[in-house]
Amino acid sequence: DAGVTQSPTHLIKTRGQQVTLRCSPKSGHDTVSWYQQALGQGPQFIFQYYEEEERQRGNFPDRFSGHQYPNYSSELNVNALLLGDSALYLCASSPDPSGANVLTFGAGSRLTVL
Amino acid sequence: QQQVKQSPQSLIVQKGGISIINCAYENTAFDYFPWYQQFPGKGPALLIAIRPDVSEKKEGRFTISFNKSAKQFSLHIMDSQPGDSATYFCAAKISGGYNKLIFGAGTRLAVHP
């Protein structure tokens, strides 16, 4: 049973560019959350998607946007990249929006902005 | 008020020793406190969790102690092993806040043989 899968695993962009990160949730999970983990820090909540809608959002600017597809997979888009956007981006899935005790994280996509 | 403060930043323990990591919070609306373990190149994995109506929870070598009045909780790893070397994060969830977690900054644990 595959867990949460994310792609790409690593990528390098330059300032001002745009990036799209992808996530497939664990089988049986319909809710996807995205977190940003800067080097040496704990993950910070970006937003959560359920039923193809953004349900909750953390303190991130509008440059960060997302999407959820009918098959529950999700994308994270970041526009106008800044050096400070360099981080590990984690996708987490759960069987429902309140299932914190069964939140499963992927291995992440490491973004480097030059 | 939504912060979770974690200490120490790093910890070195000898094999067989006890590792203790502490976290403190301010928001009394938190209703779920998990601990996550993260190995290099991997995502965080749930280790053990507790709700505020319980003062202690034990799973194998891992124990959470919870002090509601002091707004503090801690992770104890008994008989620490080199394989426990990882970064540990405490976290908290606001009641009714879906599954948005507020994470501490992490503790890098090294268990020396």
Side-chain angles (χ1 to χ4, degrees):
Chain A
D1 177 26
V4 177
T5 58
Q6 294 186 242
S7 63
T9 54
H10 296 83
L11 70 166
I12 300 173
K13 293 285 187 178
T14 57
R15 280 182 300 173
Q17 284 189 314
Q18 178 264 346
V19 67
T20 297
L21 308 177
R22 295 176 174 83
C23 172
S24 292
K26 182 177 179 178
S27 178
H29 288 188
D30 62 6
T31 303
V32 172
S33 300
W34 287 91
Y35 287 78
Q36 180 195 65
Q37 185 177 16
L39 195 63
Q41 299 296 317
Q44 287 195 18
F45 178 83
I46 302 175
F47 43 52
Q48 178 191 74
Y49 275 84
Y50 174 65
E51 293 186 332
E52 301 179 47
E53 291 187 4
E54 183 182 299
R55 296 287 175 160
Q56 197 171 17
R57 189 178 184 93
N59 293 326
F60 281 82
D62 292 344
R63 297 187 298 108
F64 290 76
S65 64
H67 188 81
Q68 185 178 37
Y69 294 92
N71 67 353
Y72 310 125
S73 67
S74 177
E75 290 180 352
L76 165 65
N77 301 292
V78 186
N79 295 321
L81 285 168
L82 304 173
L83 295 179
D85 294 332
S86 295
L88 180 68
Y89 288 86
L90 295 163
C91 173
S93 71
S94 60
D96 59 75
S98 60
N101 58 325
V102 288
L103 198 63
T104 303
F105 282 86
S109 294
R110 183 164 296 283
L111 170 65
T112 301
V113 182
L114 302 177
Chain B
Q1 250 203 340
Q2 291 213 359
Q3 280 187 324
V4 177
K5 295 182 179 180
Q6 184 173 347
S7 63
Q9 281 188 317
S10 62
L11 181 62
I12 298 174
V13 174
Q14 293 300 120
K15 178 182 176 182
I18 302 173
S19 304
I20 302 175
I21 304 171
N22 301 298
C23 283
Y25 64 96
E26 289 295 325
N27 194 336
T28 57
F30 288 145
D31 69 349
Y32 174 73
F33 300 88
W35 284 89
Y36 281 82
Q37 180 188 56
Q38 186 175 29
F39 292 104
K42 303 289 186 182
L46 179 64
L47 192 60
I48 187 172
I50 198 167
R51 296 197 182 273
D53 54 347
V54 177
S55 61
E56 185 175 282
K57 183 174 182 180
K58 184 176 181 178
E59 290 184 1
R61 296 185 294 110
F62 302 91
T63 300
I64 299 179
S65 296
F66 188 86
N67 186 328
K68 189 173 181 178
S69 60
K71 299 179 193 171
Q72 295 175 348
F73 59 110
S74 60
L75 175 69
H76 290 64
I77 306 174
M78 311 300 287
D79 188 26
S80 298
Q81 299 297 312
D84 296 331
S85 298
T87 300
Y88 293 80
F89 295 96
C90 62
K93 183 188 78 67
I94 292 178
S95 174
Y98 295 107
N99 57 23
K100 171 185 176 182
L101 294 177
I102 311 296
F103 282 85
T107 296
R108 183 173 293 184
L109 171 65
V111 181
H112 290 179

